[in-house]
Amino acid sequence: MTDSTTSAPGPLVGWIGTGRMGVAMAQRVARAGVDLTAWNRTLSKAEPLKRDGAAVCETIAGLRGKDVVLTMVSTPADLEQVLLGEGGLLTDPGNLPGIVVDCSTVSTESSAAMRVACEERGVGFLAAPVSGNGKVVRAGALSIVVSGPKETYDKVAHLLRHIGRSVTYVGEGDLARLVKIAHNLMLGVVTQTLAEITVLAEKGGVPRHAFLEFLNNSVMGSAFTRYKSPAFVNLDYTPTFTPILLRKDFDLGLAAARRLDVPMPVTALTAQLVQASVGSGRTEEDFSILLDLQAAASGMTLKPENVVVDDGLGAAAGKDAL
Amino acid sequence: MTDSTTSAPGPLVGWIGTGRMGVAMAQRVARAGVDLTAWNRTLSKAEPLKRDGAAVCETIAGLRGKDVVLTMVSTPADLEQVLLGEGGLLTDPGNLPGIVVDCSTVSTESSAAMRVACEERGVGFLAAPVSGNGKVVRAGALSIVVSGPKETYDKVAHLLRHIGRSVTYVGEGDLARLVKIAHNLMLGVVTQTLAEITVLAEKGGVPRHAFLEFLNNSVMGSAFTRYKSPAFVNLDYTPTFTPILLRKDFDLGLAAARRLDVPMPVTALTAQLVQASVGSGRTEEDFSILLDLQAAASGMTLKPENVVVDDGLGAAAGKDAL
Amino acid sequence: MTDSTTSAPGPLVGWIGTGRMGVAMAQRVARAGVDLTAWNRTLSKAEPLKRDGAAVCETIAGLRGKDVVLTMVSTPADLEQVLLGEGGLLTDPGNLPGIVVDCSTVSTESSAAMRVACEERGVGFLAAPVSGNGKVVRAGALSIVVSGPKETYDKVAHLLRHIGRSVTYVGEGDLARLVKIAHNLMLGVVTQTLAEITVLAEKGGVPRHAFLEFLNNSVMGSAFTRYKSPAFVNLDYTPTFTPILLRKDFDLGLAAARRLDVPMPVTALTAQLVQASVGSGRTEEDFSILLDLQAAASGMTLKPENVVVDDGLGAAAGKDAL
Amino acid sequence: MTDSTTSAPGPLVGWIGTGRMGVAMAQRVARAGVDLTAWNRTLSKAEPLKRDGAAVCETIAGLRGKDVVLTMVSTPADLEQVLLGEGGLLTDPGNLPGIVVDCSTVSTESSAAMRVACEERGVGFLAAPVSGNGKVVRAGALSIVVSGPKETYDKVAHLLRHIGRSVTYVGEGDLARLVKIAHNLMLGVVTQTLAEITVLAEKGGVPRHAFLEFLNNSVMGSAFTRYKSPAFVNLDYTPTFTPILLRKDFDLGLAAARRLDVPMPVTALTAQLVQASVGSGRTEEDFSILLDLQAAASGMTLKPENVVVDDGLGAAAGKDAL
């Protein structure tokens, strides 16, 4: 990568992975006027980016010469495939990108392996997982945590800022993966505590929508408590994240804690409650079914309140919303 | 209270209690142009309100004829004293206020007793505890949860909106007290989980200020996580809320849960960790010492990072901040 | 009480309360050749003691002149009634017993009140709760924990030794009540851990009766694990102790812990699981339904194994036992 | 192995591993009149068995032709070494034992690998871990849990009964390993609950020795609570089992629970408390330091009571015992 990255006319950027999250993120980069070319296994999912000024290429080979390539895929196996598999980004020694920035949620081990593969080829590598979902991206509220060589980070920070509200550099290597896992542990604990206090308030006589409205406006309110509120109020458990996926993050987090000799009592207990939610058999629903389990343990069966609830992401969500 | 409450020239409002929180709240009411008269046991603490256009009276008797009187005192005993003690607001049957709105944090029992005392005298009573501290008030970010007769609430809602960002009505009677306690349970659990994940990240190599910066910007970030960040980063445990006070709220919350047959596993575990922080003997410091206990259990001794941290309330806070 | 207590011909002993536990305990005293007179509200329940050489009296007044009177009743209210109610043991100032030994399970507060009532009248008082049920008594395996004045204890220790296998003096005042509560907390935690590991073993392929046979014979085996085994194996939840009663002991224990500034993380968590068992609505069954809840959280429905299981109390118990 | 196993003159038995536990177990077999030959890496540790009528051989080769060989070694690696390493028991295809019975505590995976190695060579294999320590063995109170082919078990059951008080067959394969791990989870939880209630009682005024005397005699008392009592009373933390070793069993147990989809809330919480004891840095002491951690969290520093305490294994143990 040359100086062109940090000055006009700007870097040539590639994008791999235009699923629900990826397309929303890439869109923001394209709309910022960056020279962007995208690839996706199912090509049709990348097409909408053309409306935002991006190009779409039919093979990953089309991205090999870019200054920076961002990846946003589903699994560690996918990441390895697009980088090192047949026709992968790093498979032509004579045509390599300058920097790879991976925004996927993969384990520290997988991240480290990809880092080695990049560095062996003289390609910079940054781990850059994100906090938020597709709706959060579109609301401009995504946050990104980045680790890797500081000078590599400095070269792409301006690009990442197009994607979301905040970009935080936390250090060398794959530390950003640990930070993302820690974030997801908090997400689990906060959901369980929301379940406990929401059921307490409801059994005491306070409707869930009223309780959560106060909480969301209080100092305890977060983007997360707000966008989970419609599910809690109207019991719409369409999955954004399943109990199985959350359990996986608790597995990773508690394994890291074990390795680092850090006891995590509240986290470990929550992990067991998440496990119990898996045991309920409702593994295809959103992990907010923790609310239902809490209610059952309290001798209650909840009913949807059918109230329009602001999810804090720019649109009211509710059973009776249009 | 006549129609004057809801139309020009506006209601006559009294304020009892101008401590750190009270004075900041009253100031916002006065600055909104409301006709406000304040009283405080230590009169000098009310004086600053004059600059905002409020009057100050020397005895509570001066507030008896007001349309609405708001109270913001420290303990249930104080509340009872200013309402029913010698020279109290409700002690002259021929001269009574229209509505009393209590913003203090008192138990459901104490609230119910004051409600009865008011209603026996034909005075409306609303329970209206708040979420936030003095700094939150000044930042205009306070939230208020209200319970009591709906028509009483409708008469004063516009007044309460001057005080903070949000006002939520949750139902009849003293339900707002339960909501406030539930909110404080979450505050305790979130602090413990922050302690667990911050220590995990730090032991893994991520500085606390970097970790919390990401978290605060992420979907998990709240006003609370932001204003606790300076304490976590720089280990300044000047108390805003002590372990003893937090334990009291857990006592109240778990007693309510017991009464309502609601199991609260994560809350109950956190209560024991708060109890352990009391056992450490550091009862005069902020309850964020939960971080130190978590570090000790992880075999670490934390050091202040001496980094300026944004507390999200309009001013960067730090060891080396002015 | 004169020297007669400790030498021939032995003290005159009274017994109040011949329910399921009481009659079995009194029987052992009578069979030891002690001069025993019993009273019970429902007189017929005391009659069987005559076969063991005891006398039965129609009113409590008949016990007032005894050297020692033991009480074994159901509730604090019952205890107060038989001591201080109309026609009670302590209501004739001219005719009082030497020592009252209460073996009931009552709170520390109730115990202290009865102690004062006795001491005001010059009557010695010992708190002497027991560990075990009727079957344990008959098997000669009851244990007794005693508190009160040491010299009072020394006068009756030989009598108490007739009742069970062990008698332990733990100190002054009502300390024995705290010890009994602590014992019951352990009973709850051990049951929950038995539920967790039994389900783990079963889901792994080990029948419950085989698992518990090993455990009962191992160093972890206790009289308790043995006599709970038939319930765990054959799912016979005929109550010996209900979730509501166990929860009451956790309430008392955690209140004592709170008062003494002792965090009890595992105890507090178990209390919530007991609360969840109450929430299941199965409040008329034995608290060993904790096993069913654990199984449900593991996605299993248990079936009775219909195996004869030794309960360790002298008789094999089982679905197909005679 | 021929019929000789079950009739006169009895099987030829080999023994590998005569450490503290192994020598005590082998001794009991030898004293029962069984034809026993022992080997140990440090040969001198096997010598004492000669006094009990056993032979000692200098190489494992001397045990290859035995009907049954029992192994009691420290680690999975040791087990693999003595069976498959250079000069190992199974390394001469022409000279193999009939049955291998492994009494060591190894993981299910390691057990399964040894099972395969045996079965490939036509050698029977039983997993037979034990509950107890050297002192328990000498007191004749060891219990053994066995899994593997039922007909193999039937051939050696009589031999195993010489070793301890009870032998329980739980099923095929390596199930006995899971049972042993489950047993150790209970051991951890019971120790933590003992710590919690002992500190509660002591802070309430009951000396530890008095409290534990009652508990040990009560229905909750077990061989384990009895032999841990001297440590709890006199704070002698000479290790029998370290926090690191206990943590390893919790790791194995919770991994099994995760694999089997069994939530274990109380177990998982205890695992974190054990982790905190590791964090205290006292990793060379007995895991009963859980008591000290509980005391510290309660604001107490314990002192040895210097009281002779019966450990239930045939000898009173105490600071001032001879």
Side-chain angles (χ1 to χ4, degrees):
Chain A
M1 192 165 61
T2 69
D3 273 352
S4 68
T5 306
T6 52
S7 64
L12 302 178
V13 178
W15 191 283
I16 294 178
T18 58
R20 226 165 60 94
M21 280 291 281
V23 77
M25 292 163 70
Q27 199 169 41
R28 292 181 61 87
V29 175
R31 288 181 181 173
V34 171
D35 182 316
L36 185 75
T37 307
W39 175 88
N40 194 59
R41 198 179 303 170
T42 308
L43 217 59
S44 61
K45 290 191 180 169
E47 295 292 330
L49 290 169
K50 289 182 176 171
R51 286 198 301 268
D52 300 299
V56 170
C57 61
E58 295 195 12
T59 65
I60 291 176
L63 304 180
R64 284 188 191 131
K66 302 296 180 187
D67 297 309
V68 183
V69 178
L70 294 105
T71 53
M72 184 67 186
V73 297
S74 295
T75 68
D78 291 335
L79 182 60
E80 189 175 344
Q81 179 63 32
V82 300
L83 295 186
L84 303 173
E86 200 183 325
L89 187 69
L90 306 177
T91 55
D92 178 354
N95 192 13
L96 288 165
I99 296 173
V100 170
V101 181
D102 177 53
C103 299
S104 317
T105 291
V106 301
S107 67
T108 295
E109 289 67 27
S110 168
S111 186
M114 292 308 102
R115 176 176 306 282
V116 168
C118 283
E119 290 173 357
E120 284 174 353
R121 289 161 177 82
V123 176
F125 182 79
L126 295 172
V130 302
S131 163
N133 57 28
K135 225 171 160 186
V136 172
V137 180
R138 285 188 295 277
L142 200 74
S143 55
I144 309 180
V145 56
V146 193
S147 64
K150 181 66 162 58
E151 70 172 25
T152 309
Y153 168 71
D154 288 338
K155 287 178 186 158
V156 303
H158 67 290
L159 259 179
L160 298 177
R161 286 197 193 97
H162 294 317
I163 300 177
R165 185 174 64 187
S166 84
V167 182
T168 308
Y169 176 76
V170 293
E172 297 291 320
D174 298 292
L175 281 179
R177 308 298 186 181
L178 178 63
V179 171
K180 176 66 196 295
I181 286 296
H183 163 280
N184 280 15
L185 297 179
M186 182 171 179
L187 181 154
V189 173
V190 163
T191 304
Q192 173 60 27
T193 195
L194 277 180
E196 294 184 8
I197 60 178
T198 302
V199 166
L200 175 67
E202 177 167 5
K203 215 168 173 190
V206 183
R208 298 193 297 277
H209 70 271
F211 177 71
L212 290 168
E213 183 192 318
F214 167 68
L215 205 76
N216 288 335
N217 283 314
S218 82
V219 297
M220 303 314 298
S222 64
F224 179 74
T225 64
R226 279 184 281 276
Y227 72 67
K228 275 296 165 196
S229 291
F232 267 51
V233 170
N234 295 321
L235 309 185
D236 176 358
Y237 295 130
T238 307
T240 57
F241 203 55
T242 65
I244 300 273
L245 289 172
L246 182 57
R247 183 178 64 176
K248 190 184 146 214
D249 284 348
F250 272 90
D251 286 347
L252 290 172
L254 288 170
R258 173 64 183 76
R259 201 164 51 237
L260 292 165
D261 276 344
V262 173
M264 300 186 85
V266 162
T267 305
L269 173 54
T270 304
Q272 301 303 312
L273 299 168
V274 171
Q275 175 62 60
S277 78
V278 170
S280 76
R282 299 172 61 182
T283 51
E284 304 300 315
E285 299 179 63
D286 193 68
F287 74 95
S288 354
I289 58 161
L290 284 170
L291 178 69
D292 272 7
L293 272 80
Q294 168 66 24
S298 307
M300 298 173 79
T301 306
L302 302 183
K303 289 187 181 137
E305 293 186 345
N306 295 322
V307 170
V308 180
V309 179
D310 183 1
D311 71 357
L313 298 173
K319 278 292 184 191
D320 50 353
L322 291 183
Chain B
M1 191 165 65
T2 68
D3 274 349
S4 69
T5 306
T6 51
S7 63
L12 303 179
V13 177
W15 192 283
I16 294 178
T18 57
R20 227 165 60 92
M21 281 291 281
V23 75
M25 293 163 71
Q27 198 167 45
R28 292 180 62 87
V29 175
R31 287 181 182 173
V34 172
D35 181 318
L36 186 75
T37 306
W39 175 88
N40 193 60
R41 196 177 305 170
T42 307
L43 216 62
S44 61
K45 290 190 180 169
E47 295 292 328
L49 290 170
K50 289 182 177 172
R51 287 198 302 270
D52 300 301
V56 171
C57 60
E58 296 197 11
T59 64
I60 293 177
L63 304 179
R64 286 189 189 131
K66 302 297 179 186
D67 296 310
V68 183
V69 178
L70 294 105
T71 54
M72 184 66 186
V73 296
S74 295
T75 68
D78 291 336
L79 182 59
E80 190 176 342
Q81 178 63 32
V82 300
L83 295 187
L84 303 174
E86 200 183 323
L89 187 69
L90 307 178
T91 54
D92 177 355
N95 191 15
L96 288 166
I99 296 174
V100 170
V101 180
D102 177 53
C103 299
S104 317
T105 291
V106 299
S107 66
T108 296
E109 288 68 27
S110 167
S111 187
M114 293 308 103
R115 176 176 304 285
V116 167
C118 283
E119 290 173 357
E120 284 173 353
R121 291 162 175 81
V123 176
F125 182 79
L126 294 173
V130 302
S131 164
N133 57 28
K135 223 170 163 186
V136 171
V137 180
R138 286 188 294 277
L142 198 75
S143 54
I144 309 179
V145 55
V146 192
S147 64
K150 182 63 161 57
E151 71 172 23
T152 308
Y153 169 70
D154 288 339
K155 287 179 187 158
V156 303
H158 66 290
L159 260 179
L160 298 177
R161 285 196 194 97
H162 294 317
I163 300 178
R165 186 175 63 188
S166 84
V167 182
T168 308
Y169 176 75
V170 293
E172 297 291 320
D174 299 291
L175 280 177
R177 308 298 183 180
L178 178 64
V179 171
K180 175 67 195 294
I181 286 296
H183 163 281
N184 279 16
L185 297 179
M186 180 170 180
L187 181 155
V189 173
V190 164
T191 303
Q192 173 60 26
T193 195
L194 278 179
E196 294 184 7
I197 61 178
T198 301
V199 166
L200 175 68
E202 176 167 4
K203 214 166 175 191
V206 183
R208 296 192 299 277
H209 70 271
F211 177 70
L212 290 168
E213 182 190 319
F214 167 67
L215 205 75
N216 287 335
N217 283 314
S218 82
V219 298
M220 303 314 298
S222 64
F224 178 75
T225 65
R226 279 184 283 276
Y227 72 65
K228 275 297 165 196
S229 291
F232 267 52
V233 170
N234 295 322
L235 310 185
D236 176 358
Y237 296 129
T238 308
T240 57
F241 202 55
T242 64
I244 300 273
L245 289 172
L246 182 57
R247 183 179 63 176
K248 190 185 143 213
D249 284 348
F250 272 89
D251 286 346
L252 291 173
L254 289 169
R258 173 63 183 74
R259 201 165 49 238
L260 291 166
D261 276 343
V262 173
M264 300 187 83
V266 162
T267 305
L269 173 55
T270 304
Q272 301 303 312
L273 299 168
V274 171
Q275 174 62 60
S277 79
V278 170
S280 77
R282 299 172 61 183
T283 50
E284 304 298 316
E285 298 179 64
D286 194 68
F287 74 94
S288 353
I289 58 163
L290 284 169
L291 178 70
D292 272 7
L293 272 78
Q294 167 65 25
S298 306
M300 298 174 80
T301 305
L302 302 183
K303 290 189 181 135
E305 294 185 343
N306 295 321
V307 170
V308 180
V309 180
D310 184 359
D311 70 358
L313 297 174
K319 278 291 186 194
D320 51 351
L322 290 185
Chain C
M1 194 165 65
T2 69
D3 273 349
S4 69
T5 306
T6 52
S7 64
L12 302 179
V13 177
W15 192 282
I16 294 178
T18 57
R20 225 165 60 93
M21 280 291 279
V23 76
M25 292 164 71
Q27 199 168 44
R28 291 181 61 88
V29 175
R31 287 182 182 171
V34 172
D35 181 319
L36 186 76
T37 306
W39 176 88
N40 194 58
R41 196 178 305 170
T42 308
L43 216 61
S44 61
K45 289 191 180 168
E47 294 292 330
L49 290 170
K50 289 183 177 171
R51 286 198 302 269
D52 301 301
V56 171
C57 60
E58 297 196 10
T59 64
I60 292 178
L63 304 179
R64 286 189 189 130
K66 301 297 179 187
D67 296 310
V68 183
V69 178
L70 294 105
T71 53
M72 184 67 185
V73 295
S74 295
T75 68
D78 291 336
L79 182 60
E80 189 176 343
Q81 178 65 32
V82 299
L83 295 186
L84 302 174
E86 201 183 324
L89 187 68
L90 305 178
T91 54
D92 178 355
N95 192 13
L96 288 166
I99 296 174
V100 170
V101 181
D102 177 53
C103 298
S104 316
T105 291
V106 299
S107 66
T108 296
E109 288 68 25
S110 167
S111 187
M114 293 307 103
R115 176 176 305 284
V116 167
C118 283
E119 290 173 356
E120 283 174 352
R121 291 161 175 81
V123 177
F125 182 79
L126 295 172
V130 302
S131 163
N133 56 29
K135 224 172 161 184
V136 171
V137 180
R138 284 188 295 276
L142 199 74
S143 54
I144 309 179
V145 55
V146 192
S147 64
K150 182 64 162 58
E151 70 171 24
T152 308
Y153 169 70
D154 288 338
K155 287 180 186 157
V156 303
H158 66 291
L159 260 179
L160 298 178
R161 285 197 194 95
H162 295 316
I163 301 177
R165 185 174 62 187
S166 84
V167 182
T168 307
Y169 177 76
V170 293
E172 297 291 321
D174 299 291
L175 281 177
R177 309 299 184 178
L178 178 63
V179 171
K180 175 68 196 295
I181 286 297
H183 163 282
N184 279 16
L185 297 178
M186 180 171 180
L187 181 155
V189 173
V190 163
T191 303
Q192 173 61 25
T193 195
L194 278 179
E196 293 185 7
I197 61 179
T198 301
V199 166
L200 176 68
E202 177 167 4
K203 214 167 174 189
V206 183
R208 295 192 300 277
H209 69 271
F211 177 70
L212 290 168
E213 182 191 318
F214 167 68
L215 205 74
N216 287 335
N217 283 314
S218 82
V219 298
M220 302 314 298
S222 64
F224 179 75
T225 65
R226 279 184 282 277
Y227 72 65
K228 275 295 164 196
S229 291
F232 267 51
V233 171
N234 295 320
L235 309 186
D236 177 357
Y237 295 130
T238 308
T240 56
F241 202 56
T242 65
I244 300 273
L245 289 172
L246 182 57
R247 183 180 62 176
K248 189 184 143 213
D249 284 347
F250 273 88
D251 286 347
L252 290 173
L254 288 169
R258 174 62 184 75
R259 203 165 47 237
L260 291 165
D261 276 344
V262 173
M264 301 187 83
V266 163
T267 305
L269 173 54
T270 304
Q272 302 303 312
L273 299 167
V274 171
Q275 175 63 60
S277 78
V278 170
S280 76
R282 298 173 61 183
T283 51
E284 305 298 316
E285 299 180 64
D286 194 68
F287 74 94
S288 350
I289 58 163
L290 284 169
L291 178 69
D292 271 9
L293 272 78
Q294 168 65 24
S298 306
M300 298 174 79
T301 306
L302 303 183
K303 289 187 183 137
E305 293 185 344
N306 295 322
V307 170
V308 179
V309 180
D310 184 0
D311 70 358
L313 297 174
K319 278 293 187 193
D320 51 352
L322 289 184
Chain D
M1 191 166 61
T2 68
D3 273 350
S4 70
T5 305
T6 51
S7 64
L12 302 178
V13 177
W15 192 281
I16 293 178
T18 57
R20 227 165 59 93
M21 279 292 280
V23 77
M25 292 163 71
Q27 200 169 40
R28 291 181 61 87
V29 175
R31 287 182 182 173
V34 171
D35 182 316
L36 186 75
T37 306
W39 175 88
N40 194 60
R41 197 179 304 171
T42 307
L43 217 59
S44 61
K45 289 191 181 171
E47 295 292 330
L49 289 170
K50 289 183 176 171
R51 286 199 302 269
D52 300 300
V56 171
C57 62
E58 296 196 11
T59 63
I60 292 176
L63 304 179
R64 285 188 190 131
K66 302 297 179 187
D67 297 309
V68 183
V69 178
L70 294 105
T71 53
M72 184 67 186
V73 296
S74 295
T75 68
D78 291 335
L79 183 60
E80 188 175 344
Q81 179 63 31
V82 300
L83 295 187
L84 303 173
E86 201 184 323
L89 187 70
L90 306 178
T91 55
D92 178 355
N95 191 14
L96 288 166
I99 296 173
V100 170
V101 181
D102 177 52
C103 299
S104 316
T105 291
V106 300
S107 67
T108 296
E109 288 67 28
S110 167
S111 186
M114 293 307 102
R115 177 176 304 284
V116 167
C118 283
E119 289 173 357
E120 283 173 353
R121 290 161 176 83
V123 176
F125 181 79
L126 294 173
V130 302
S131 163
N133 57 29
K135 226 174 160 183
V136 171
V137 180
R138 285 189 295 276
L142 199 74
S143 54
I144 309 179
V145 55
V146 193
S147 64
K150 183 64 164 58
E151 70 171 24
T152 308
Y153 168 71
D154 288 338
K155 286 179 187 158
V156 303
H158 67 291
L159 258 180
L160 298 177
R161 284 195 195 99
H162 295 316
I163 300 176
R165 185 174 63 186
S166 84
V167 182
T168 307
Y169 176 77
V170 293
E172 296 291 319
D174 299 291
L175 281 177
R177 308 298 185 181
L178 177 63
V179 171
K180 175 67 196 294
I181 286 296
H183 164 280
N184 280 16
L185 297 179
M186 181 171 179
L187 182 154
V189 173
V190 163
T191 304
Q192 173 61 26
T193 194
L194 277 179
E196 293 184 7
I197 61 177
T198 302
V199 166
L200 175 67
E202 177 168 4
K203 214 166 174 192
V206 183
R208 296 192 300 277
H209 70 272
F211 178 70
L212 291 167
E213 183 192 316
F214 168 68
L215 205 76
N216 287 335
N217 283 314
S218 82
V219 298
M220 302 315 297
S222 65
F224 179 74
T225 64
R226 279 183 282 276
Y227 73 66
K228 275 296 166 195
S229 290
F232 268 51
V233 170
N234 295 321
L235 310 186
D236 177 358
Y237 295 130
T238 308
T240 57
F241 203 57
T242 64
I244 300 272
L245 288 172
L246 182 57
R247 183 179 63 177
K248 190 185 145 212
D249 284 348
F250 272 90
D251 285 347
L252 290 173
L254 288 169
R258 174 63 183 75
R259 202 164 50 239
L260 292 165
D261 276 344
V262 173
M264 301 187 84
V266 163
T267 305
L269 173 54
T270 303
Q272 301 304 311
L273 298 168
V274 171
Q275 174 62 59
S277 77
V278 171
S280 76
R282 298 172 60 183
T283 51
E284 304 299 315
E285 299 179 64
D286 193 69
F287 75 94
S288 354
I289 57 162
L290 284 170
L291 178 70
D292 272 7
L293 273 78
Q294 168 66 24
S298 306
M300 297 173 81
T301 306
L302 302 183
K303 290 188 181 136
E305 293 186 344
N306 295 321
V307 170
V308 180
V309 179
D310 184 0
D311 71 357
L313 297 173
K319 277 292 186 192
D320 51 352
L322 291 184

